[in-house]
Amino acid sequence: MFSLINIFWEFLIGICIGSFLNVVIFRLPNEMSILKPRSFCPKCKNKIKWYYNIPILSWIILKAKCNYCSSKINARYPIVELMTGILFVIFSNAEPYFYNFNLINPFEKLFIWILLSILISISLIDFEHFWIPQGLINFGFLIGIVNLLFIELYKIDFYEGGIFLKGVLGALCAYLIFELLRGCSRFVFKKDALGKGDSKLVAMLG
């Protein structure tokens, strides 16, 4: 029962975060603040009341239409919310031996959720606009460094140290490998086949 309750709360948190990610995905490419103004309809500009902004349910209740102007609400919104909720549950309960720090690093789940949120936002923005926001990359690097420091702190008495250094070297190697691929592809195809953002993204993942 306790496990089912945990899964429910993880899913609930995930769909709420997914709702915020929809704001990020829409506003960053349009050079808008992700914090204000409050959520609004892109067509009629009316601000959306909180009870019309409930993840997944509002889209269903409103029949995928704005309550004010009846313009169609893109299905991407509930899909992102649902996908985020499912991924939060999956990654919160996955325990591969290599990355099983649940009993040592109490912040592991938080870092997983933040990384997933960054990757979901980057993936959808890149898919639609062929652009990876530098701000999301920078935030990912910051979270990655803090995560490595926490792992180092909580694992040092149990495992071999040096995890922080390995993480930094992994990021650097990933960046250099992709930059080499970028150079080779430019030489072969006479144009860029990979963007600079791809190299930064794999470095962040590293």
Side-chain angles (χ1 to χ4, degrees), residues 35 43 49 58 61 71 88 90 93 118 122 126 136 140 144 152 167 195 197 202 204:
L35 299 178
K43 296 290 184 181
K49 298 184 184 298
S58 291
I61 293 171
S71 61
F88 270 35
I90 291 173
N93 295 280
I118 293 171
I122 287 176
D126 192 27
L136 291 178
E152 190 78 56
V202 295
M204 183 194 78

Side-chain angles (χ1 to χ4, degrees), residues 27 35-41 46-50 53:
R27 294 193 182 188
L35 299 178
K36 56 184 183 180
R38 202 173 71 218
S39 296
F40 60 90
C41 172
N46 277 305
K47 291 182 179 179
I48 300 172
K49 298 184 184 298
W50 70 267
N53 208 20

Side-chain angles (χ1 to χ4, degrees), residues 73-88:
I73 302 173
N74 197 313
R76 185 199 75 199
Y77 290 91
I79 290 173
V80 169
E81 291 162 356
L82 180 62
M83 177 177 64
T84 306
I86 292 172
L87 287 175
F88 270 35

Side-chain angles (χ1 to χ4, degrees), residues 48 61-62 83 90 112 116-117 119 130 136 185 191 198 206:
I48 300 172
I61 293 171
L62 293 171
M83 177 177 64
I90 291 173
I112 289 173
L116 278 173
S117 299
L119 293 179
F130 301 100
L136 291 178
S185 64
K191 62 179 181 180
D198 295 310

Side-chain angles (χ1 to χ4, degrees), residues 3-198:
S3 179
L4 289 177
I5 293 174
N6 282 349
I7 288 173
F8 170 78
W9 282 110
E10 289 159 0
F11 180 76
L12 185 61
I13 292 171
I15 62 175
C16 291
I17 295 297
S19 181
F20 174 71
L21 297 186
N22 277 318
V23 174
V24 174
I25 293 163
F26 171 75
R27 294 193 182 188
L28 280 186
N30 290 291
E31 299 182 348
M32 299 170 62
S33 169
I34 63 174
L35 299 178
K36 56 184 183 180
R38 202 173 71 218
S39 296
F40 60 90
C41 172
K43 296 290 184 181
C44 65
K45 309 302 180 184
N46 277 305
K47 291 182 179 179
I48 300 172
K49 298 184 184 298
W50 70 267
Y51 47 82
Y52 290 141
N53 208 20
I54 301 172
I56 302 176
L57 289 178
S58 291
W59 187 84
I60 296 172
I61 293 171
L62 293 171
K63 298 179 181 178
K65 292 181 180 180
C66 172
N67 185 64
Y68 300 103
C69 65
S70 296
S71 61
K72 187 175 181 180
I73 302 173
N74 197 313
R76 185 199 75 199
Y77 290 91
I79 290 173
V80 169
E81 291 162 356
L82 180 62
M83 177 177 64
T84 306
I86 292 172
L87 287 175
F88 270 35
V89 171
I90 291 173
F91 279 81
S92 296
N93 295 280
E95 297 185 359
Y97 175 77
F98 180 73
Y99 200 67
N100 185 10
F101 303 144
N102 287 341
L103 298 178
I104 302 171
N105 180 0
F107 301 99
E108 177 196 357
K109 187 177 292 187
L110 176 62
F111 286 121
I112 289 173
W113 287 351
I114 295 174
L115 177 61
L116 278 173
S117 299
I118 293 171
L119 293 179
I120 291 169
S121 300
I122 287 176
S123 298
L124 291 170
I125 291 174
D126 192 27
F127 179 78
E128 186 173 350
H129 300 278
F130 301 100
W131 174 60
I132 298 178
Q134 185 63 47
L136 291 178
I137 293 290
N138 293 343
F139 185 53
F141 271 119
L142 175 63
I143 292 300
I145 289 172
V146 174
N147 188 24
L148 286 173
L149 289 173
F150 270 102
I151 292 171
E152 190 78 56
L153 174 66
Y154 280 92
K155 285 187 63 117
I156 195 164
D157 293 332
F158 301 89
Y159 297 92
E160 178 185 355
I163 292 175
F164 179 81
L165 179 59
K166 291 174 184 176
V168 173
L169 289 176
L172 179 61
C173 289
Y175 177 80
L176 293 176
I177 288 171
F178 258 70
E179 280 298 286
L180 178 62
L181 289 174
R182 269 186 9 103
C184 291
S185 64
R186 190 185 303 117
F187 176 77
V188 172
F189 299 109
K190 308 303 179 185
K191 62 179 181 180
D192 285 329
L194 291 170
K196 188 81 170 179
D198 295 310

